[in-house]
Amino acid sequence: MSQFTLNATKRDLQGKGASRRLRHSDQVPAVVYGAGKEPQSISVAFKDLVKLLESTEFYTAQVSLSIDGTVETVQLKALQRHPSKNSPMHADFLRVGA
């Protein structure tokens, strides 16, 4: 199984308007939760996420998610896509505990 790496940045603004602004700037809003830690809102680059989604292994593999330099091991839990364009609109990542 191959190892995947994805870069992300923290985001403070939440809600429909903030998410729309992110999507217009080629970012995908996402959330990381689990492993007894607080949920964290993040954004990932659209092109990076789409590139990883081309591989069917990405849907079940453990991913090294680098959030502003801090690396966490996560797994893709849910992905919301646009109804007609089929492009990713939101992603949920689940932290993998040791």
Side-chain angles (χ1 to χ4, degrees), residues 29-97:
V31 66
V32 180
Y33 57 89
K37 297 181 183 176
E38 288 294 317
Q40 185 175 19
S41 297
I42 60 170
S43 64
V44 296
F46 178 81
K47 64 181 180 91
D48 294 342
L49 184 59
V50 168
K51 182 68 176 171
L52 291 176
L53 290 173
E54 291 174 359
S55 171
T56 56
E57 292 178 354
F58 178 72
Y59 293 91
T60 58
Q62 292 184 358
V63 179
S64 294
L65 183 66
S66 175
I67 305 170
D68 294 333
T70 313
V71 179
E72 294 191 47
T73 304
V74 299
Q75 189 172 10
L76 181 67
K77 187 66 176 173
L79 182 69
Q80 295 176 355
R81 294 182 181 265
H82 190 276
S84 60
K85 297 178 187 176
N86 203 27
S87 60
M89 293 183 63
H90 189 272
D92 289 0
F93 293 99
L94 179 65
R95 290 185 184 101
V96 178

Side-chain angles (χ1 to χ4, degrees), residues 16-29 85:
K16 188 190 304 186
S19 294
R20 285 181 178 173
R21 286 189 292 277
L22 275 175
R23 291 185 196 105
H24 284 292
S25 63
D26 292 329
Q27 296 286 317
V28 178
K85 297 178 187 176

